Amino acid sequence: MYPVIHFFNYSIPTFGVLFLLGTGAAFLLGVQTARKYSISTMDAMFFGLFGIIGGISGAKLLYIIVDLPNLIASPETALIRLATGGAVFYGGLIGGILGGYFYTHIYHLDSIQFFDIAVPCLALAQAFGRIGCFFNGCCYGIPYEGPGAVHYPVGAYPPSGIGLFPAQLSESAFLFGLTLLLMAVLWRSDTPGFTTGLYLITSGLFRFINEFFRADPRGAIGFLSTSQFISLLIIGLGILFILKIPQQLYEKHLKQ
Amino acid sequence: MEQYNNKAIASLVLGIVSLVSIVWSYFTIIGIICAIVGLIFAIQIRKAGELEGFKPNSMATAGLVLNIIGLALCAIVLIACVACVGLLGTAAMFS
């Protein structure tokens, strides 16, 4: 709808602006959630920054791995493509987790507690990101003519002239609600890792269902979309966190 | 302390380079790399200050702030809808 904002003679991607707003909001929330385990603001901030550094590196690295045959096939454009775009979200997620874990590992901090305080912030940043998707026009929904149907203008990326299900906004609204739920659970729960498990299960489950209401072209593995397949893995990991298995493994093998 | 001073200078310089590189769109990737390295140096100094009990100098603080701003502004230019591109990329990997 509004993929770019024009500011003097610069064109700023709306998704980037909302991503940045989400990151800022997540950091502010992180300062509050860190109080749960009496983690200093500096540690919470640096954990977040390492997560972002890992995320950017992971997204780019997985893009290079995935796109390597094309990059080798046309080396003349490879450098420009590497410099201007290309990032893989799940690479970013894995990189972000590893980046955050790396920070807690080198400074001998409890990783599970840090993941617990980070998940409400992650949900909030994702919620802003999805609003960015709405403005960008990507991740659009199936044709739908009920209340709240979105009509994109002619020339936008999604099909225009028909009503579409607001799949981005439904996910965003869910994630805002999930942030509040996770905050409440974090304050009341005495089990480290429970909040992380709850986030993984609920977000994975919602993503799995929401995928049925999306119509944008995306990959598929068998009869499931790629996201649904990954959501199942995420839900499985969440169940392990609720059963305290990663916590026990961490205590036994990785905690210093 | 000498190594921390050198790292503080490096962090500050990398922060400035990352901010300057925003002007040319093709250089934002270089800006991000500079900001990441500068940020790691600045965090190292801060944490060392906390653990060894000294106050980081103003150059280290300026480096930290400039690198955060540099990383944020470079990311805003570089990032498109990562989720969407990501799905296509992952699908290509599995197919």
Side-chain angles (χ1 to χ4, degrees):
Chain A
M1 213 176 273
Y2 295 105
V4 287
I5 299 169
H6 295 287
F7 185 73
F8 293 108
N9 49 359
Y10 286 98
S11 297
I12 304 165
T14 317
F15 183 85
V17 174
L18 276 147
F19 173 80
L20 215 59
L21 265 176
T23 311
F27 268 89
L28 286 177
L29 188 69
V31 175
Q32 301 301 319
T33 54
R35 289 184 189 164
K36 162 75 181 176
Y37 293 114
S38 307
I39 292 167
S40 73
T41 307
M42 195 172 80
D43 273 334
M45 289 277 176
F46 290 166
F47 175 78
L49 285 173
F50 261 73
I52 291 174
I53 291 170
I56 293 173
S57 314
K60 211 70 189 171
L61 207 64
L62 196 57
Y63 168 73
I64 293 170
I65 294 168
V66 166
D67 209 32
L68 199 59
N70 294 334
L71 292 174
I72 293 170
S74 54
E76 64 280 1
T77 58
L79 205 62
I80 294 171
R81 281 164 63 196
L82 274 178
T84 51
V88 177
F89 174 71
Y90 288 108
L93 190 69
I94 296 163
I97 293 168
L98 288 178
Y101 173 74
F102 182 68
Y103 177 75
T104 54
H105 187 73
I106 53 174
Y107 290 114
H108 313 297
L109 301 163
D110 192 326
S111 307
I112 303 288
Q113 286 184 357
F114 274 81
F115 286 138
D116 265 0
I117 65 154
V119 284
C121 313
L122 187 62
L124 187 64
Q126 263 184 299
F128 275 97
R130 280 291 169 214
I131 300 175
C133 287
F134 175 72
F135 283 117
N136 206 22
C138 58
C139 316
Y140 56 86
I142 53 169
Y144 158 83
E145 288 294 347
V150 186
H151 292 263
Y152 277 95
V154 178
Y157 172 64
S160 51
I162 50 164
L164 298 173
F165 183 77
Q168 313 97 323
L169 294 182
S170 66
E171 192 165 348
S172 179
F174 168 78
L175 286 164
F176 276 120
L178 183 63
T179 307
L180 295 176
L181 175 76
L182 290 172
M183 286 289 284
V185 170
L186 179 69
W187 286 114
R188 281 155 200 251
S189 165
D190 294 324
T191 318
F194 183 79
T195 319
T196 309
L198 187 70
Y199 165 77
L200 293 172
I201 292 173
T202 46
S203 65
L205 207 59
F206 185 85
R207 184 69 190 268
F208 188 88
I209 297 163
N210 203 49
E211 282 290 305
F212 290 117
F213 299 97
R214 271 176 64 172
D216 57 316
R218 56 208 194 283
I221 300 170
F223 59 93
L224 294 175
S225 76
T226 317
S227 284
Q228 284 176 323
F229 181 76
I230 294 168
S231 294
L232 289 179
L233 298 179
I234 286 175
I235 293 168
L237 186 65
I239 292 169
L240 290 181
F241 262 98
I242 297 285
L243 297 173
K244 298 182 192 172
I245 294 167
Q247 289 95 312
Q248 284 165 4
L249 289 175
Y250 176 72
E251 288 283 334
K252 204 183 262 182
H253 300 292
L254 295 168
K255 199 171 181 182
Q256 295 162 333
Chain B
M1 284 299 286
E2 182 63 26
Q3 55 160 332
Y4 294 129
N5 262 337
N6 293 341
K7 276 185 179 170
I9 295 166
S11 169
L12 185 65
V13 171
L14 288 167
I16 293 166
V17 171
S18 76
L19 277 174
V20 171
S21 65
I22 299 160
V23 182
W24 301 282
S25 61
Y26 288 133
F27 284 86
T28 47
I29 186 79
I30 296 168
I32 284 191
I33 294 166
C34 290
I36 286 174
V37 177
L39 205 54
I40 290 171
F41 283 160
I43 290 173
Q44 269 185 339
I45 298 164
R46 284 256 150 189
K47 281 301 285 184
E50 188 190 64
L51 298 172
E52 294 171 23
F54 67 88
K55 197 174 182 296
N57 61 16
S58 50
M59 251 191 311
T61 311
L64 180 69
V65 173
L66 285 185
N67 281 303
I68 290 174
I69 296 171
L71 186 64
L73 292 181
C74 286
I76 212 174
V77 177
L78 194 70
I79 285 171
C81 180
V82 279
C84 309
V85 180
L87 288 176
L88 296 174
T90 328
M93 193 172 65
F94 280 104
S95 60

